[in-house]
């Protein structure tokens, strides 16, 4: 099965390479060659799909398919054009609604299916007002799913399709004597156009295509580590000898551990779990936030993140109290996560000072790792929670004392390596959070060029990966740095329009349902207009 999945991946990538756009737009001289490439791409998609899905032409109702398989089926439908193509599209939409898919997984494929369905529906048959209204409803649902996940997959295309459908619906409503409904549709059209223009402007400025040209994001592995390196690096960070970690040979022999760390030996899962536990790492997953099998606890933690991002502090307090009763606080990873979130929420509420927050977060960090070991120069393996602790301490610490310098150096050291190895896309979630915070700190210190460089990298990576998170904050950071240069009489490399920047910040924060940030940008824009 592993080899089948490898072959499926290779075939799907080869098919993408053969796709070079709409054959109707290709010059006549190479039209036939382009048509043959499209046909071959269709054959490759079918071959790839049949490696794991038997008889796809019989439909998928009642089957369990992965997002990748649904995508291959979608491409096969588009290229093969079976007689009941619309029914196939709707089967995929039905399966995506299954509760086993999380918000991000749904966002990865749902908008693409809707776009293909509406595009083909308009191109291959005469849709009446009823079908167009149904297509528009699907487009709006696709946009809602993208907002819920903070993603941009096929958003620009969906906005264009929505505008086209709504315009025809509005014209039909006016002709039918329903001007009120027509005006509602026209207001939506204006809003969608503003969003599309913002997407085009920001993508254009940062040199990223606004169109969704591939589906490689379906195959990106997030935060993959070699367990051999994790054990070796963590042991050395904590200053533990192999003999101590092996418990004088009771757990395993030093020779076994040495071979594990050198990458030459697999080890029993039970022994590995014990080793990770002794290294103060989660035995469930090295990068996990909570150690729990309770889906409700995971859902509460997800809710806490959203509540804190939007500064719904009292709701976050209630959620954290509920969470505390559902997880084992004896586990150091759970205790660490809870303590950090609780400290940051309290400082947001104003019940503790920034300095008190720093001390509490340091205490949370040391549930799993001494502060000195975390910031000591050299090779490191830090969990996401430990990195978040260091970031929170850095951003809440005033001034530029030695401790803060060491924390900044630790964060830069951790993530510059990913830049050098061109692996930011694997670590984008933490990269945008950590390096975004670092960019802000550098701007506050007057290091505007370094700050801008980080913000540009974050924006480009987020746009390439079709993420809304990280874009608006870094646009604002670049704008703020530019304004500070003007105030200090520092030459400006690039003129910026602050009002346009703020409008783009508002739209991107809306697209990710980040209400607190949206309100902040709106207030800033209003004050600019009143000046």
């Amino acid at each position: 099965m592993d080899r089948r999945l490898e072959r499926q991946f290779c075939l799907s990538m080869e098919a993408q390479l053969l796709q070079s756009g709409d054959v109707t737009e290709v010059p006549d001289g190479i039209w036939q060659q382009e048509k043959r490439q499209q046909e071959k791409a269709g054959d490759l998609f079918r071959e790839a799909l049949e490696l794991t899905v038997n008889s796809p032409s019989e439909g998928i109702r009642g089957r369990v398919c992965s997002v990748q398989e649904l995508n291959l089926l979608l491409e096969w439908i588009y290229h093969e054009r079976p007689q009941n193509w619309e029914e196939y599209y709707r089967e995929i939409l039905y399966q995506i609604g299954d509760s086993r898919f999380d918000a991000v997984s749904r966002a990865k494929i749902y908008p693409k299916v809707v776009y293909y369905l509406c595009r083909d529906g308009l191109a291959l048959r005469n849709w009446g007002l009823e079908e167009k209204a149904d297509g528009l409803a699907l487009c709006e649902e696709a946009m809602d799913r993208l907002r819920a996940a903070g993603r941009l997959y096929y958003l620009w295309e969906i906005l264009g399709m929505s505008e086209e459908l709504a315009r025809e619906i509005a014209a039909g409503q006016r002709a039918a004597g329903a001007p009120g409904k027509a005006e509602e549709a026209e207001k939506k059209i204006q809003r969608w156009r503003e969003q599309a223009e913002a997407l085009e402007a920001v993508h254009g400025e940062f040199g990223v295509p606004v169109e969704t040209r591939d589906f490689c994001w379906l195959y990106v592995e997030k935060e993959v580590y070699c367990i051999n390196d994790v054990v070796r690096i963590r042991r050395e960070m904590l200053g533990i000898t192999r003999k101590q970690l092996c418990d004088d040979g009771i757990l395993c022999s030093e020779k076994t551990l040495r071979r594990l760390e050198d990458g030459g030996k697999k080890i029993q899962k039970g022994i590995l779990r014990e080793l990770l536990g002794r290294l103060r790492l989660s035995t469930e997953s090295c990068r996990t936030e909570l150690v729990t099998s309770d889906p409700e606890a995971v859902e509460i933690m997800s809710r806490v993140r959203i509540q804190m991002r939007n500064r719904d502090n009292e709701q976050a307090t209630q959620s954290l109290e509920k969470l505390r009763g559902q997880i084992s606080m004896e586990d150091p990873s759970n205790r660490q996560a809870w303590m950090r979130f609780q400290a940051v929420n309290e400082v947001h509420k104003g019940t503790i000072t920034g300095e008190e927050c720093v001390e509490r977060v340091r205490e949370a960090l040391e549930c799993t790792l001494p502060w000195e070991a975390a910031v000591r120069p050299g090779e490191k393996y830090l969990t996401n929670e430990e990195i978040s602790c260091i970031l929170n301490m850095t951003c809440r610490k005033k001034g530029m004392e030695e401790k803060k310098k060491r924390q900044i150096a630790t964060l830069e050291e951790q993530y510059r390596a990913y830049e050098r190895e061109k692996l930011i896309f694997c670590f984008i979630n933490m990269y945008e959070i950590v390096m975004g915070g670092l960019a802000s700190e550098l701007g506050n210190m007057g290091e505007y060029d370094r700050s801008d460089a980080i913000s540009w990298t974050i924006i480009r990576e987020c746009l390439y990966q079709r993420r809304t998170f990280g874009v608006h904050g870094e646009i604002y950071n670049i704008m703020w740095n530019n304004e500070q240069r003007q105030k200090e009489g520092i030459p400006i490399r690039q003129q910026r329009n602050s009002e346009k920047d703020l409008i783009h910040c508002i739209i991107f924060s809306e697209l990710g349902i980040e209400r607190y940030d949206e309100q902040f940008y709106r207030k800033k824009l209003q004050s600019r207009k009143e000046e």
Side-chain angles (χ1 to χ4, degrees):
M1 179 55 72
D2 286 345
R3 296 313 302 262
R4 279 210 217 157
L5 293 175
E6 286 178 17
R7 179 162 176 76
Q8 186 177 72
F9 168 79
C10 292
L11 290 170
S12 68
M13 295 300 115
E14 184 181 353
Q16 285 192 80
L17 291 172
L18 286 171
Q19 291 179 297
S20 56
D22 189 343
V23 296
T24 61
E25 298 176 1
V26 176
D28 292 340
I30 58 172
W31 187 87
Q32 289 297 331
Q33 178 185 352
E34 180 65 21
K35 185 178 180 181
R36 285 195 297 272
Q37 286 182 326
Q38 291 292 324
E39 290 173 349
K40 185 178 179 184
D43 293 340
L44 290 170
F45 281 126
R46 183 184 185 101
E47 183 183 350
L49 181 61
E50 289 179 337
L51 286 166
T52 57
V53 178
N54 294 326
S55 305
S57 58
E58 296 177 4
I60 58 168
R61 192 172 295 277
R63 304 190 192 192
V64 177
C65 296
S66 67
V67 171
Q68 289 84 354
E69 289 168 334
L70 293 177
N71 177 71
L72 291 173
L73 177 61
L74 177 62
E75 292 290 351
W76 172 75
I77 296 166
Y78 169 68
H79 285 86
E80 294 284 328
R81 197 69 61 200
Q83 188 174 2
N84 53 342
W85 59 269
E86 186 170 350
E87 181 183 334
Y88 277 107
Y89 282 149
R90 293 188 182 277
E91 279 186 13
I92 299 174
L93 290 176
Y94 176 80
Q95 188 160 132
I96 296 167
D98 194 298
S99 60
R100 64 194 173 84
F101 289 117
D102 60 21
V104 174
S105 296
R106 288 175 181 148
K108 284 180 175 181
I109 187 67
Y110 191 95
K112 181 177 179 179
V113 182
V114 170
Y115 175 64
Y116 275 37
L117 170 62
C118 293
R119 180 191 59 185
D120 292 355
L122 290 174
L124 301 176
R125 58 178 287 187
N126 294 321
W127 270 10
L129 279 180
E130 185 176 345
E131 289 89 354
K132 289 173 184 175
D134 178 58
L136 182 58
L138 288 173
C139 286
E140 292 187 90
E141 174 67 17
M143 287 188 273
D144 286 343
R145 290 184 184 275
L146 286 169
R147 277 194 289 269
R151 296 299 188 272
L152 301 169
Y153 309 122
Y154 281 92
L155 177 59
W156 184 77
E157 291 85 348
I158 289 285
L159 289 169
M161 183 63 68
S162 299
E163 184 178 340
E164 180 181 350
L165 290 168
R167 190 184 301 111
E168 294 186 26
I169 290 169
Q173 288 168 336
R174 286 195 183 281
K181 291 183 178 179
E183 288 174 6
E184 287 179 16
E186 287 162 357
K187 286 180 182 177
K188 288 183 178 180
I189 289 172
Q190 181 59 33
R191 188 65 191 134
W192 294 330
R193 190 172 295 159
E194 290 171 358
Q195 292 176 345
E197 288 172 356
L199 287 173
E200 289 170 2
V202 173
H203 280 79
E205 179 181 357
F206 292 92
V208 179
V210 70
E211 306 94 340
T212 305
R213 295 181 173 177
D214 60 64
F215 52 81
C216 296
W217 69 80
L218 293 173
Y219 295 94
V220 172
E221 295 288 346
K222 298 294 184 182
E223 300 196 18
V224 178
Y225 293 86
C226 176
I227 196 67
N228 314 75
D229 291 337
V230 170
V231 172
R232 175 183 58 79
I233 293 169
R234 190 71 170 199
R235 178 182 61 76
E236 291 173 353
M237 284 176 66
L238 293 171
I240 300 173
T241 65
R242 289 195 179 102
K243 183 177 181 180
Q244 290 170 329
L245 186 57
C246 294
D247 196 10
D248 285 329
I250 295 174
L251 178 60
C252 65
S253 70
E254 289 185 58
K255 182 180 179 180
T256 297
L257 179 57
R258 183 180 296 107
R259 290 177 64 188
L260 169 69
E261 293 184 348
D262 291 342
K265 183 177 178 63
K266 292 184 178 180
I267 198 166
Q268 293 177 13
K269 288 184 178 179
I271 296 175
L272 179 59
R273 288 167 65 90
E274 182 66 25
L275 289 173
L276 292 175
R278 294 183 181 193
L279 295 170
R280 311 293 278 178
L281 293 170
S282 165
T283 57
E284 300 298 321
S285 170
C286 292
R287 307 293 286 200
T288 193
E289 191 170 49
L290 292 180
V291 181
T292 179
S293 58
D294 183 355
E296 186 178 355
V298 175
E299 175 60 29
I300 293 172
M301 178 58 89
S302 177
R303 207 157 54 233
V304 168
R305 284 196 296 271
I306 296 170
Q307 290 164 348
M308 290 181 62
R309 194 164 63 232
N310 289 318
R311 298 298 196 273
D312 296 329
N313 302 320
E314 291 305 324
Q315 291 182 27
T317 298
Q318 294 172 18
S319 297
L320 283 167
E321 282 306 308
K322 186 175 181 180
L323 179 66
R324 185 174 189 171
Q326 292 196 222
I327 60 175
S328 169
M329 294 294 282
E330 296 299 315
D331 188 288
S333 297
N334 287 349
R335 192 163 64 253
Q336 181 179 74
W338 191 91
M339 289 172 64
R340 182 179 71 84
F341 275 94
Q342 198 264 353
V344 174
N345 190 51
E346 289 298 318
V347 81
H348 285 171
K349 289 166 64 176
T351 54
I352 63 173
T353 65
E355 289 297 317
E356 288 173 322
C357 179
V358 170
E359 290 306 311
R360 291 194 188 185
V361 172
R362 176 167 176 162
E363 185 182 348
L365 170 67
E366 296 194 332
C367 288
T368 61
L369 187 67
W371 181 82
E372 283 292 343
V375 299
R376 187 184 302 125
E379 197 173 17
K380 291 186 184 66
Y381 175 83
L382 301 170
T383 68
N384 287 345
E385 261 306 305
E386 291 164 349
I387 292 168
S388 296
C389 286
I390 296 170
L391 177 64
N392 288 158
M393 292 167 66
T394 302
C395 294
R396 297 288 172 187
K397 193 73 174 176
K398 295 180 180 179
M400 197 56 190
E401 61 179 36
E402 185 60 32
K403 283 185 179 180
K404 186 167 182 175
K405 289 180 181 178
R406 290 173 67 185
Q407 287 165 188
I408 289 175
T410 296
L411 295 174
E412 275 207 277
E413 178 187 36
Q414 186 81 4
Y415 287 95
R416 291 297 186 191
Y418 302 146
E419 292 178 18
R420 291 191 299 271
E421 297 167 14
K422 301 188 186 302
L423 289 174
I424 296 175
F425 68 94
C426 286
F427 302 88
I428 186 62
N429 184 46
M430 287 301 293
Y431 185 93
E432 71 184 39
I433 294 170
V434 173
M435 296 302 284
L438 184 56
S440 180
E441 284 297 310
L442 290 169
N444 292 336
M445 293 157 51
E447 296 195 39
Y448 305 125
D449 290 347
R450 283 179 68 195
S451 176
D452 280 351
I454 293 172
S455 291
W456 270 77
T457 299
I458 292 172
I459 293 171
R460 282 175 57 84
E461 289 292 333
C462 286
L463 293 177
Y464 271 120
Q465 296 197 50
R466 300 296 188 243
R467 297 170 63 89
T468 61
F469 306 136
V471 175
H472 55 82
E474 301 314 312
I475 292 175
Y476 182 81
N477 189 59
I478 292 170
M479 182 199 81
W480 187 89
N481 287 342
N482 228 39
E483 291 180 347
Q484 292 302 116
R485 289 185 181 98
Q486 288 178 318
K487 291 177 183 178
E488 297 173 22
I490 299 172
I492 296 173
R493 296 179 180 178
Q494 179 190 24
Q495 289 294 332
R496 303 195 67 82
N497 184 318
S498 295
E499 287 195 12
K500 280 189 177 180
D501 280 339
L502 287 168
I503 289 170
H504 294 160
C505 288
I506 290 168
I507 288 174
F508 271 87
S509 57
E510 282 181 326
L511 293 175
I513 322 181
E514 296 180 274
R515 295 189 303 274
Y516 178 83
D517 292 324
E518 180 191 342
Q519 292 169 6
F520 172 81
Y521 300 134
R522 288 190 182 280
K523 289 177 183 177
K524 288 289 182 181
L525 181 60
Q526 185 62 35
S527 66
R528 290 289 197 286
K529 290 179 178 179
E530 292 172 356
E531 288 176 357

